[in-house]
Amino acid sequence: MSSPPRIPAFHRDAGRFLADDARVGWHDQALWHLRAKRDKAAAATPDWEALRDHAAALKAHVLDQLPELWTRFSANARAAGWTVHFAADAAEMRATVHGLLTAAGVRRVVKSKSMLSEECGLNPHLEAHGFEVVDTDLGERIVQLRHEPPSHIVVPAIHLKRAEVGELFHRELGTPAGLDDPTALAHAARADLRRRFLAAEAGITGVNIAVAETGAMVVCTNEGNADLGTALPPLHIAVVGAEKVVPTLDDAGVLLRLLARSATGQPITSYTTHLAGPDPRRPGHACHLVVVDNGRSRLAADEHHRRALSCIRCGACLNTCPVYRRASGHAYGTVIPGPIGAVLAPAMIGTAAARALPFASSLCGSCTQVCPVRIDLHDQLLAWRRQLADEGLVPLSKRLAMRAGAWFLAHPRLFAAGGWLGRRLGFLARLPIPGPHRLWLRHRGMPDLPADSFRAQWKNRHG
Amino acid sequence: MDEAAFLARFRRDGAPAPHPGRFAGHAWEASWEGFARVLAGVGGSLADAAQEPRAAVQAAIDLAGGRVVAAPAAGERLAAAGVSGWEPAGNGAPGRFADVQLGILWAELAVAENAALLFTAESLPERSLAFLAERLLVLVPAGALVGGMAEGVARAPRHGHHHTWMSGPSKTADIEQTLVIGAHGAKALVVVRW
């Protein structure tokens, strides 16, 4: 979704991450820890499943009513003093933001986390034009200083160890060599970023929810960076995806009850702020809101996949995905990784560029089980596979293997003979195998094969 | 691009899926014990009800070790109660609170479900105080507790420039999933029933 889109080389990049056994194990556990916290929060919320049902129905309504909701939003937002802009694609979004900063004579910008700005390549664009753009979410700041993209939509630096952050901060922020205590590192970043917040001439934020009823935006953080970035500089530019509007504040409340619990297991983010345009107490305070399409209208018109636009970016499907947890976000090569990223990518950057991603899943369905707005993620991945096959985008080796498998399974005697042979020669599968498929057996053991076939066992038990 | 052309891209034929109405979920109990438990879980604390609120606030101010600033709605109560050692937020550039050690705020509502405290343009006209102060002391009227967030949102203002729900102090777990309190905003948050 960044521009230009690079072809996801999922296998190569996942292989690179998998080469470091210790890191894979740690990454897997760190994400599972988030999943466990989500489960605990869900269990402590008696109306959890009804809440998910309600949110899914709300999002279905929203996706059918986007023009009406944005019309209502715009009228109320303009009354509140927002200047509302509409951008067809990433280039127009970048040009709009660039133009606003130039017109205001701004050079120093603080930014809070916005997956949309990552999607549109806003930072590289502004930096190339001489703006100082500082990401202020701690994880985003870490990956910005490392000149790499986030690997997760909620915890952008989850792929890094504390020692790596310590080395980075020693080099970039002058912290003592060898300092790797997370509290000390986070407070060093706080001191550095506090200075930048106070000097910033503009703040750019994403938007978690746009509320049509109030003409206001809701932004959620745990750090307070979006609040500092909007309360201090005289210019605020908010960028929002066209799917992020809801009819009423009560509707926003439903999503707020789901978002943080699904993301980190918190009952709500530390800060949830509702902003309606410029502050009347601040002379010269200017607020702009840029509503962005960038492929969303195309996805909204796709009957099979439009539900993916319900996503509230909680990251729960990433945290639970056995493939994401072991491959890491960078392997996906897209701004949004994990199951939701693999569902969005073919629609947003095209099936050819994203052809590997719908296969980066075991189709276990865990993503669907945790999605707070009940997106049928694993069904969508399967549907994309079907479409990729129809478009001839599945590699020849996979097509031949599938054809051979179908033929084999359609011949019961052959299947039985194959099973007999497999039970005797199954140990061969534990031997190292050459070629690219050896990666398949890394971090994965073949199960023990039973002495008898399923049919034989059935016959023994039931006659 | 033009708004009408932009919105036309999302227009659909046929009847839209209906709005699901208001969510009638679990009836959360409006209990301070529940609020305190959740608040502790998100890194904040509730002052002991046995301690007289005025004395609790005065003790916190005396221990602040630096500048103490009260938002207008809190300041009114402190002045009326004869609490000393603080200054009013006043007017000026939003960055003027950068060296504040203790910010004292007045919350209009507290929610037991998620320990969220509501601040509006009325109670907190200058937002930057809440995010620049090193630590926060939040006064909440004892009768302003509701059970669930749905009820809280229903009572939040539909007008006015801003409102913020705050649940505990600022935090991050961006380095190795280790919880650090005080990422950008307050490093501590204590709630006093007033």
Side-chain angles (χ1 to χ4, degrees):
Chain A
M1 280 166 261
S2 58
S3 185
R6 79 187 176 89
I7 293 173
F10 185 85
H11 301 83
R12 184 194 64 214
D13 293 347
R16 201 171 289 156
F17 189 77
L18 283 165
D20 184 344
D21 284 351
R23 189 185 298 268
V24 173
W26 174 83
H27 187 259
D28 181 24
Q29 287 307 308
L31 289 156
W32 189 253
H33 177 60
L34 280 174
R35 158 77 208 252
K37 287 201 289 186
R38 172 261 174 218
D39 289 353
K40 203 173 157 194
T45 309
D47 49 2
W48 184 252
E49 295 305 326
L51 195 59
R52 290 176 69 202
D53 288 338
H54 189 94
L58 171 65
K59 282 291 192 174
H61 171 76
V62 165
L63 291 183
D64 283 354
Q65 290 276 287
L66 287 172
E68 292 78 6
L69 290 171
W70 281 116
T71 300
R72 188 174 166 209
F73 176 89
S74 302
N76 289 329
R78 288 185 179 118
W82 288 104
T83 305
V84 186
H85 310 259
F86 293 88
D89 52 25
E92 191 176 359
M93 182 271 217
R94 293 192 298 264
T96 304
V97 174
H98 185 170
L100 291 168
L101 294 175
T102 303
V106 166
R107 286 335 263 177
R108 285 169 299 193
V109 181
V110 284
K111 204 171 129 280
S112 68
K113 199 160 71 194
S114 151
M115 295 316 296
L116 178 60
S117 68
E118 297 283 341
E119 172 188 323
C120 294
L122 184 62
N123 276 21
H125 173 87
L126 293 178
E127 283 161 3
H129 288 84
F131 294 93
E132 178 196 290
V133 185
V134 176
D135 272 312
T136 57
D137 171 85
L138 178 60
E140 288 258 308
R141 183 64 178 152
I142 292 167
V143 296
Q144 182 182 42
L145 290 172
R146 285 173 57 92
H147 308 289
E148 66 182 5
S151 72
H152 189 290
I153 62 176
V154 173
V155 277
I158 188 84
H159 58 291
L160 297 173
K161 301 285 289 178
R162 66 178 72 189
E164 291 167 301
V165 179
E167 280 167 34
L168 178 74
F169 280 14
H170 172 59
R171 200 167 61 239
E172 300 285 344
L173 305 181
T175 53
L179 178 73
D180 67 355
D181 172 56
T183 301
L185 293 172
H187 287 166
R190 171 192 173 102
D192 177 67
L193 289 167
R194 178 62 72 92
R195 188 170 54 77
R196 296 172 190 275
F197 273 122
L198 291 165
E201 298 152 322
I204 297 177
T205 70
V207 172
N208 289 92
I209 307 165
V211 184
E213 175 189 21
T214 58
M217 55 160 274
V218 178
V219 64
C220 306
T221 73
N222 282 320
E223 300 186 4
N225 53 322
D227 287 286
L228 283 171
T230 53
L232 295 174
L235 173 65
H236 173 205
I237 303 172
V239 294
V240 55
E243 77 281 20
K244 289 287 178 84
V245 68
V246 298
T248 68
L249 200 56
D250 288 332
D251 294 327
V254 168
L255 301 183
L256 292 175
R257 292 190 60 213
L258 288 163
L259 179 63
R261 286 182 169 107
S262 298
T264 59
Q266 293 168 262
I268 187 169
T269 45
S270 300
Y271 305 105
T272 304
T273 292
H274 181 274
L275 290 171
D279 187 343
R281 291 169 43 97
R282 293 174 64 188
H285 188 215
C287 294
H288 295 262
L289 199 128
V290 187
V291 189
V292 182
D293 180 349
N294 200 38
R296 286 163 177 75
S297 56
R298 196 167 60 240
L299 184 54
D302 179 336
E303 294 304 323
H304 292 299
H305 299 292
R306 65 196 305 267
R307 276 178 75 181
L309 283 174
S310 301
C311 175
I312 58 170
R313 304 285 190 267
C314 68
C317 63
L318 282 62
N319 304 339
T320 199
C321 177
V323 175
Y324 174 86
R325 283 189 278 121
R326 291 172 183 83
S328 102
H330 287 159
Y332 290 76
T334 51
V335 170
I336 299 183
I340 183 64
V343 167
L344 289 169
M348 307 292 271
I349 64 173
T351 44
R355 63 183 178 273
L357 298 187
F359 292 95
S361 165
S362 63
L363 297 184
C364 66
S366 187
C367 45
T368 303
Q369 290 300 314
V370 298
C371 177
V373 290
R374 296 202 191 281
I375 301 171
D376 52 344
L377 287 157
H378 73 295
D379 289 330
Q380 299 236 359
L381 288 168
L382 188 60
W384 275 123
R385 291 184 188 187
R386 199 171 296 128
Q387 187 167 330
L388 290 167
D390 290 346
E391 293 179 19
L393 288 168
V394 175
L396 182 67
S397 59
K398 191 168 282 181
R399 285 210 307 275
L400 290 176
M402 285 295 164
R403 203 169 294 170
W407 180 77
F408 181 67
L409 293 173
H411 292 79
R413 279 169 192 280
L414 199 63
F415 179 78
W420 183 87
L421 202 64
R423 283 189 298 282
R424 275 143 194 87
L425 301 177
F427 67 91
L428 290 174
R430 290 174 205 276
L431 299 178
I433 53 171
H437 293 99
R438 70 181 184 278
L439 280 175
W440 202 83
L441 287 174
R442 240 195 129 102
H443 302 279
R444 179 162 25 197
M446 289 295 283
D448 288 328
L449 290 163
D452 294 317
S453 72
F454 175 77
R455 289 186 214 194
Q457 290 180 47
W458 184 268
K459 210 170 176 181
N460 282 345
R461 281 186 212 177
H462 304 285
Chain B
M1 78 187 290
D2 172 62
E3 178 173 347
F6 182 93
L7 297 182
R9 293 169 155 221
F10 291 91
R11 213 164 287 287
R12 282 170 69 79
D13 297 329
H19 186 279
R22 281 196 64 158
F23 180 65
H26 176 67
W28 296 79
E29 190 192 348
S31 101
W32 282 108
E33 290 71 30
F35 175 87
R37 195 169 50 245
V38 179
L39 182 64
V42 296
S45 62
L46 178 67
D48 190 347
Q51 194 180 11
E52 198 262 320
R54 187 200 163 281
V57 173
Q58 189 66 64
I61 291 173
D62 294 344
L63 289 170
R67 210 174 149 207
V68 180
V69 174
E76 282 171 31
R77 273 80 179 186
L78 296 183
V83 175
S84 60
W86 56 277
E87 56 179 288
N91 294 305
R96 69 188 183 281
F97 304 119
D99 61 345
V100 170
Q101 284 300 310
L102 181 67
I104 307 182
L105 311 180
W106 177 262
E108 280 144 300
L109 207 62
V111 180
E113 176 187 343
N114 56 14
L117 299 157
L118 176 67
F119 303 95
T120 69
E122 297 285 318
S123 59
L124 183 70
E126 188 84 80
R127 298 169 56 224
S128 60
L129 173 61
F131 306 101
L132 286 171
E134 283 285 296
R135 282 168 292 125
L136 290 176
L137 190 66
V138 180
L139 314 181
V140 191
L145 180 70
V146 298
M149 186 60 182
E151 192 182 344
V153 172
R155 289 168 60 168
R158 267 58 184 166
H159 301 285
H161 170 253
H162 60 263
H163 67 259
T164 291
W165 295 100
M166 195 183 296
S167 175
S170 162
K171 57 187 81 72
T172 179
D174 275 346
I175 301 175
E176 265 195 25
Q177 280 298 292
T178 305
L179 180 67
V180 176
I181 301 289
H184 287 298
K187 289 178 174 168
L189 183 146
V190 176
V191 177
V192 176
R193 278 165 281 182
W194 190 265

